[in-house]
């Protein structure tokens, strides 16, 4: 299996050694991470011990709206607000229609599953970075993530070409069929391949007498379990469109065989195929338009962030590698509840934290990556992943205890390259080796990689220092000292618009020397507002 496929994101993640992969279950109502659309206003990060900051106007550490204080809204503004409310109601009604029950949704209830892995023994389809045993272990972990799904049997069957119709050769297919039919109480087979056609799926189900799922179907079902926001649900609905088209072609082909040719729907001038194809196109367009509206809202939030000049750090990695645990350790965010589960995070979530200099940064938790999922599943989540392109720094977290850690790294890097990110983001990326507490005396072999334990806090100070160094280089922020008059507004302005590191008061002349970290635009504003202020560059 090639490392360049995103599900390879997803898409979208893997946090631990194989033995730990399968413990958790997907349960409704457990996702507690704050969606990105709600992440601003952000709760202010907890200040470092002993380092206070003057209270800001408005209080509470939250961002305020653009309305001026004291004045009431004009008639025009009220009309605009009413129009926006009406538009939101129309959008909500349309979203309910788009997010209705999916014809592809797996029937609720328990599933007793036989996991079948086609082991490629040689040729271009064989991955040199993994083994059949590790691949089937990850497949088992996917099933174990789902509530009330149980693995009854794991079967590895060799094949020369997993892309052919029945995956296996005639002899091995017959052996596999006999094994499946002998399994007591089995209700489904999980065929550990990217995707099978609807025709192959039907013929396999006829041969085995049970439901057949591929990786695409299983991961989509996991997404449905974990999706909480409208955006995540819309992206899942978009990912279903290719499957619906494939199923439609198969259904129409069967109908044509039964009826001896296509039939027109009465009075419409369209065949059944044409009508259903048109309806799918219309549904896809509506979903993409709804996602575009959400994308525009995120763009407004991004503009707010830019004005505040908060650096953005995207934390990425293979699914369940420890990203959320790391962000909780870096920010002290008590509301974050990491879960030992595949694809626990489907939405971009953002949390504020401090670096050693007291500079505030925003850590963005992203959806995880996985090998061997079709590219269009990744594309469905492009609206979420595009936020990474606006980061100032990427931190790539690796579960260094996992036996496939090298393959996982290759998968993540391949996906990041396919996202067409700015070259400086890829060049400045910080690689973090997580869970080193499980390996005695671990030392990274990769140059510049940092060894940490997010769970126990080992190596976090060194990581913060590295993040700060990269942020200063990448954002053009300056460290400088300014002389301010304590009776003037400069000190208050600096606390609000920059990161104040030190204040040395000189009471004899009523001034202070203030060491700050300040962005380029804020520095330009400071010089414009206080042209007589003395500035000392390091």
């Amino acid at each position: 299996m090639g490392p360049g496929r995103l599900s390879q994101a997803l898409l979208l993640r893997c946090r631990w050694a194989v033995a730990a992969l399968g413990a958790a279950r997907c349960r409704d109502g457990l996702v507690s991470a704050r969606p990105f659309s709600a992440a601003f206003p952000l709760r202010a990060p907890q200040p470092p011990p002993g380092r206070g900051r003057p209270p800001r106007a408005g209080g509470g550490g939250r961002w305020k709206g653009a309305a001026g204080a004291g004045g009431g809204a004009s008639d025009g503004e009220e009309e605009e607000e009413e129009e926006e409310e009406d538009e939101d109601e129309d959008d909500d009604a349309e979203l309910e229609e788009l997010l209705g029950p999916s014809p592809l949704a797996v029937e609720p209830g328990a599933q007793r599953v036989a996991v079948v892995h086609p082991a490629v023994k040689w040729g271009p389809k064989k991955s040199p970075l993994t083994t059949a045993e590790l691949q089937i272990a990850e497949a088992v972990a996917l099933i174990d993530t789902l509530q009330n799904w149980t693995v009854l049997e794991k079967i590895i069957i060799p094949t020369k070409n997993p892309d052919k119709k029945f995956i296996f050769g005639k002899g091995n297919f017959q052996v596999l069929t006999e094994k499946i039919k002998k399994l007591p109480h089995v209700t489904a087979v999980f065929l550990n391949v990217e995707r099978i056609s609807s025709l192959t799926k039907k013929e396999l189900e006829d041969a085995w007498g049970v439901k057949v799922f591929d990786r695409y179907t299983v991961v989509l079902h996991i997404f449905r379990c974990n999706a909480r926001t409208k955006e995540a649900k819309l992206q899942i609905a978009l990912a279903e469109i290719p499957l619906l088209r494939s199923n439609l072609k198969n259904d129409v082909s069967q109908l044509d065989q039964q009826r001896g040719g296509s039939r027109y729907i009465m009075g419409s001038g369209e065949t059944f195929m044409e009508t259903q194809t048109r309806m799918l196109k219309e549904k896809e367009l509506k979903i993409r338009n709804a996602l575009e509206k959400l994308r525009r809202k995120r763009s407004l939030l991004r503009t707010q962030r830019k004005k505040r000049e908060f650096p953005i750090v995207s934390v990425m990695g293979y699914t369940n590698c420890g990203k959320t645990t790391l962000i909780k350790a870096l920010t002290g965010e008590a509301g974050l509840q990491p879960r030992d589960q595949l694809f626990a995070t489907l939405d971009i979530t953002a949390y504020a934290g401090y670096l050693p200099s007291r500079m505030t940064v925003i850590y963005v938790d992203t959806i995880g990556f996985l090998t061997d999922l079709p590219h269009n599943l990744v594309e469905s989540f492009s609206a979420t992943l595009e936020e990474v392109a606006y980061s100032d720094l990427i931190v790539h977290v690796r579960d260094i205890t996992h036996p496939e850690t090298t393959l996982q790294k290759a998968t993540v890097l391949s996906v990041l390259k396919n996202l067409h990110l700015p070259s400086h983001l890829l060049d400045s990326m910080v690689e973090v080796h997580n869970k080193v507490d499980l390996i005695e005396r671990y030392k990274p072999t990769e140059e510049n990689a940092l060894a940490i334990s997010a769970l126990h806090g080992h190596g976090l100070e060194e990581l913060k220092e590295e993040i700060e160094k990269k942020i200063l280089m990448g954002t053009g922020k300056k460290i400088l000292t300014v002389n301010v008059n304590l009776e003037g507004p400069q000190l208050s302005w600096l606390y609000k618009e920059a990161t104040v590191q030190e204040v040395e008061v000189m009471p004899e002349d009523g001034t202070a020397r203030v060491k700050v970290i300040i962005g380029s635009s804020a520095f330009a504003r400071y010089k414009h507002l206080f042209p007589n202020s003395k500035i000392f560059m390091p």
Side-chain angles (χ1 to χ4, degrees):
M1 55 175 67
R5 313 260 177 86
L6 187 54
S7 71
Q8 275 182 43
L10 290 179
L11 213 156
L12 273 160
R13 314 147 126 39
C14 233
R15 286 182 191 159
W16 13 231
V18 169
L21 275 170
R25 292 287 193 275
C26 166
R27 297 182 177 89
D28 290 342
L30 289 182
V31 174
S32 59
R34 181 173 30 179
F36 191 77
S37 59
F40 299 96
L42 281 169
R43 194 163 22 166
Q46 296 299 314
R51 292 181 177 178
R53 172 180 291 209
R56 299 181 181 185
R62 295 183 177 270
W63 289 10
K64 296 296 179 182
S74 67
D75 291 342
E77 289 172 339
E78 289 177 357
E79 289 176 4
E80 287 180 7
E81 289 177 2
E82 290 176 1
E83 289 176 2
E84 287 177 2
E85 289 176 2
D86 292 340
E87 186 178 330
D88 288 343
E89 289 177 4
D90 293 340
D91 289 346
D92 289 341
E94 187 173 275
L95 283 177
E96 285 183 14
E97 179 185 347
L98 292 174
L99 299 177
S102 168
L104 298 176
V106 178
E107 295 178 4
Q111 293 283 357
R112 295 175 294 278
V113 184
V115 178
V116 177
H117 176 70
V120 181
K121 294 299 184 181
W122 59 82
K125 293 290 182 180
K126 177 176 174 57
S127 172
L129 301 176
T130 188
T131 65
E133 289 73 22
L134 293 174
Q135 288 172 306
I136 201 169
E138 184 173 89
V140 169
L142 287 169
I143 297 300
D144 285 343
T145 298
L146 294 164
Q147 186 178 19
N148 297 326
W149 286 44
T150 306
V151 175
L152 291 185
E153 185 71 25
K154 297 178 289 182
I155 304 171
I156 298 176
I157 298 286
T159 182
K160 295 180 181 178
N161 182 10
D163 293 331
K164 61 186 178 183
K165 183 175 180 181
F166 289 110
I167 315 298
F168 307 97
K170 185 176 181 181
N172 282 337
F173 182 76
Q174 185 175 349
V175 170
L176 175 60
T177 300
E178 291 173 359
K179 283 186 177 182
I180 291 172
K181 288 188 173 181
K182 288 179 182 178
L183 291 175
H185 313 301
V186 66
T187 62
V189 170
F190 174 26
L191 196 55
N192 192 30
V193 296
E194 290 182 16
R195 184 171 159 188
I196 55 177
S197 70
S198 56
L199 181 59
T200 298
K201 173 182 167 68
K202 183 181 184 306
E203 295 193 15
L204 290 177
E205 288 177 344
D206 290 343
W208 296 338
V210 294
K211 290 286 185 182
V212 176
F213 305 118
D214 54 20
R215 284 172 75 91
Y216 196 109
T217 309
V218 169
V219 172
L220 267 183
H221 186 47
I222 295 173
F223 287 176
R224 290 190 195 99
C225 285
N226 289 346
R228 294 295 178 268
T229 65
K230 290 177 182 177
E231 184 166 32
K233 293 175 182 178
L234 282 168
Q235 289 175 127
I236 291 168
L238 184 62
E240 290 178 342
I241 297 293
L243 291 180
L244 291 171
R245 285 201 179 102
S246 175
N247 290 351
L248 174 62
K249 290 179 182 178
N250 183 51
D251 292 343
V252 170
S253 175
Q254 288 184 320
L255 286 173
D256 287 347
Q257 290 175 11
Q258 294 169 8
R259 299 181 307 187
S262 300
R263 294 291 183 269
Y264 288 90
I265 297 176
M266 281 191 298
S268 69
E270 287 185 318
T271 64
F272 174 79
M273 176 71 171
E274 290 169 343
T275 301
Q276 296 301 311
T277 300
R278 174 175 52 80
M279 292 174 67
L280 274 178
K281 285 182 179 178
E282 291 173 354
K283 180 177 181 179
E284 180 179 7
L285 182 61
K286 288 179 180 179
I287 293 172
R288 291 189 183 278
N289 287 340
L291 285 170
E292 180 59 31
K293 288 180 181 179
L294 294 173
R295 185 184 283 113
R296 287 198 296 268
K297 289 181 180 179
R298 263 206 320 276
S299 179
L300 292 174
L301 295 173
R302 200 181 297 130
T303 302
Q304 284 185 301
R305 286 205 312 274
K306 208 167 183 181
K307 289 179 180 177
R308 298 297 298 245
E309 294 190 329
F310 286 146
I312 309 297
V313 179
S314 287
V315 182
M316 309 193 75
Y318 204 80
T319 184
N320 209 19
C321 66
K323 296 187 297 295
T324 304
T325 302
L326 176 58
I327 291 176
K328 182 174 184 178
L330 291 171
T331 63
E333 177 61 62
L336 263 173
Q337 297 298 327
R339 288 182 288 152
D340 189 11
Q341 178 180 319
L342 298 180
F343 303 119
T345 301
L346 287 185
D347 301 286
I348 292 284
T349 52
Y351 304 90
Y354 278 119
L355 295 178
S357 65
R358 296 186 70 250
M359 180 179 7
T360 302
V361 296
I362 308 302
Y363 293 102
V364 175
D365 194 1
T366 60
I367 191 166
F369 299 88
L370 189 73
T371 54
D372 286 335
L373 278 184
H375 183 65
N376 55 20
L377 183 57
V378 178
E379 288 182 337
S380 299
F381 279 76
S382 61
T384 296
L385 292 169
E386 74 169 5
E387 199 64 34
V388 177
Y390 297 94
S391 305
D392 296 295
L393 183 68
I394 294 175
V395 173
H396 174 198
V397 183
R398 294 176 58 189
D399 176 1
I400 207 63
T401 68
H402 197 286
E404 289 186 297
T405 184
T406 302
L407 174 62
Q408 291 179 356
K409 175 180 178 178
T411 296
V412 172
L413 294 181
S414 177
V415 171
L416 291 177
K417 289 177 182 177
N418 290 335
L419 289 176
H420 306 295
L421 300 176
S423 59
H424 72 271
L425 273 181
L426 298 175
D427 295 339
S428 64
M429 184 161 46
V430 176
E431 181 173 320
V432 171
H433 292 184
N434 193 21
K435 306 184 184 180
V436 297
D437 54 296
L438 301 177
I439 303 178
E440 189 175 356
R441 297 179 182 176
Y442 176 78
K443 289 186 178 180
T445 55
E446 285 91 339
E447 187 179 1
N448 300 324
L450 298 176
I452 70 159
S453 169
L455 186 62
H456 298 289
H458 172 74
L460 293 188
E461 292 307 313
E462 291 86 349
L463 174 58
K464 288 180 181 179
E465 290 172 2
E466 182 66 14
I467 290 173
E468 180 170 277
K469 183 177 75 172
K470 292 289 182 71
I471 287 292
L472 289 174
M473 290 175 58
T475 62
K477 288 181 177 290
K478 300 176 176 61
I479 299 179
L480 48 86
T481 302
V482 297
N483 255 27
V484 302
N485 187 333
L486 291 176
E487 294 181 355
Q490 293 104 312
L491 185 58
S492 176
W493 191 96
L494 287 170
Y495 268 110
K496 182 179 180 182
E497 301 293 340
T499 298
V500 176
Q501 292 186 293
E502 297 175 7
V503 178
E504 181 185 355
V505 176
M506 291 171 281
E508 62 275 6
D509 57 3
T511 64
R513 284 197 167 195
V514 185
K515 185 178 180 182
V516 297
I517 298 176
I518 189 168
S520 299
S521 61
F523 184 43
R525 293 197 303 274
Y526 179 84
K527 290 191 293 184
H528 177 73
L529 290 170
F530 312 109
N532 297 323
S533 179
K534 293 183 179 179
I535 300 171
F536 304 92
M537 306 294 287

